[in-house]
Amino acid sequence: AHVGDLVSSNLGSIPDFPEPGVLFRDITPLIANGPAFKELMEILGERYAGTIDAVAGLESRGFILGAPLATELGVGMLTIRKAGKLPGHVIGVDYALEYGTARMEIRPESVRPGSRVLVVDDVLATGGTANASVELLRRCGAEVETIAVLLELEAFNGREVLAGSGVKVESALL
Ligand code: 5GP
């Protein structure tokens, strides 16, 4: 199957979550579909084989997608988490939300300087989370060229935000 078909035929939409007026795109059906999930990882594994040294997943759905991709590729898995979740020495980047701010953190010792890191998440919206994560990885000395997502919510212009940081967005589905 085509990767876009795998995603589109296994995607849910939940109105008014997490707040009224928001249509939440739900990957739960996809990851619950064993054959579809496996095929998705095989396709993405072929796409990125030999081009990256580590996968960085963004908490928390980026972990679900990133970890099996990392094992498929035979590379390490990095976790970029919301503030206060990682133990030990961490560095963080704050970024703006529609209301307020958020902060993503990483353990810099987990990143090998000069390594090529693929950022993975389920959905790209404004690009704020991904952009902060790219900045974190680069501060650790990683080379970040691409972020892979299943779904891009085009209206939020995340792709442009990331282009400003010199990062290419690869999405299974628009
Ligand atoms: P951004 O920072 O690009 O505005 O938001 C992206 C982050 O919020 C991602 O970590 C993503 O998981 C989450 N997110 C935003 N909207 C949705 C959505 O409709 N569905 C899902 N599954 N995640 C979303």
Side-chain angles (χ1 to χ4, degrees), residues 91-102:
I91 61 171
V93 166
D94 296 297
Y95 62 101
L97 298 176
E98 192 178 359
Y99 302 104
T101 64

Side-chain angles (χ1 to χ4, degrees), residues 23-25 59 61 95 121-130 153:
L23 181 66
F24 187 82
R25 313 312 298 270
E59 184 173 6
R61 287 172 294 270
Y95 62 101
D121 205 356
D122 62 337
V123 173
L124 182 77
T126 66
T129 310
L153 303 178

Side-chain angles (χ1 to χ4, degrees), residues 52-57 66-67 69-70 73 75-79 117-120:
I52 60 165
D53 303 306
V55 172
L69 180 58
L73 292 166
V75 302
M77 173 72 193
L78 307 174
T79 52
V117 178
L118 176 70
V119 176
V120 175

Side-chain angles (χ1 to χ4, degrees), residues 90-115:
V90 301
I91 61 171
V93 166
D94 296 297
Y95 62 101
L97 298 176
E98 192 178 359
Y99 302 104
T101 64
R103 178 180 180 83
M104 298 300 279
E105 293 180 341
I106 194 170
R107 299 190 67 177
E109 285 76 14
S110 63
V111 182
R112 193 162 51 75
S115 57

Side-chain angles (χ1 to χ4, degrees), residues 8-152:
S8 61
S9 56
N10 290 282
L11 195 66
S13 287
I14 317 278
D16 299 317
F17 183 88
E19 23 186 294
V22 176
L23 181 66
F24 187 82
R25 313 312 298 270
D26 177 28
I27 67 158
T28 311
L30 173 63
I31 61 176
N33 181 337
F37 194 18
K38 184 176 192 321
E39 190 178 355
L40 175 69
M41 288 304 142
E42 287 167 355
I43 293 170
L44 293 179
E46 276 173 32
R47 178 177 302 173
Y48 295 109
T51 67
I52 60 165
D53 303 306
V55 172
L58 311 189
E59 184 173 6
S60 56
R61 287 172 294 270
F63 296 172
I64 298 171
L65 300 170
L69 180 58
T71 61
E72 189 78 30
L73 292 166
V75 302
M77 173 72 193
L78 307 174
T79 52
I80 298 181
R81 302 203 61 176
K82 292 161 188 164
K85 301 284 189 68
L86 284 170
H89 175 225
V90 301
I91 61 171
V93 166
D94 296 297
Y95 62 101
L97 298 176
E98 192 178 359
Y99 302 104
T101 64
R103 178 180 180 83
M104 298 300 279
E105 293 180 341
I106 194 170
R107 299 190 67 177
E109 285 76 14
S110 63
V111 182
R112 193 162 51 75
S115 57
R116 300 163 296 175
V117 178
L118 176 70
V119 176
V120 175
D121 205 356
D122 62 337
V123 173
L124 182 77
T126 66
T129 310
N131 207 43
S133 302
V134 169
E135 187 181 335
L136 276 176
L137 288 162
R138 287 179 174 164
R139 280 198 205 167
C140 298
E143 288 175 19
V144 187
E145 213 168 79
T146 307
I147 159 162
V149 295
L150 296 183
L151 181 70
E152 192 180 345

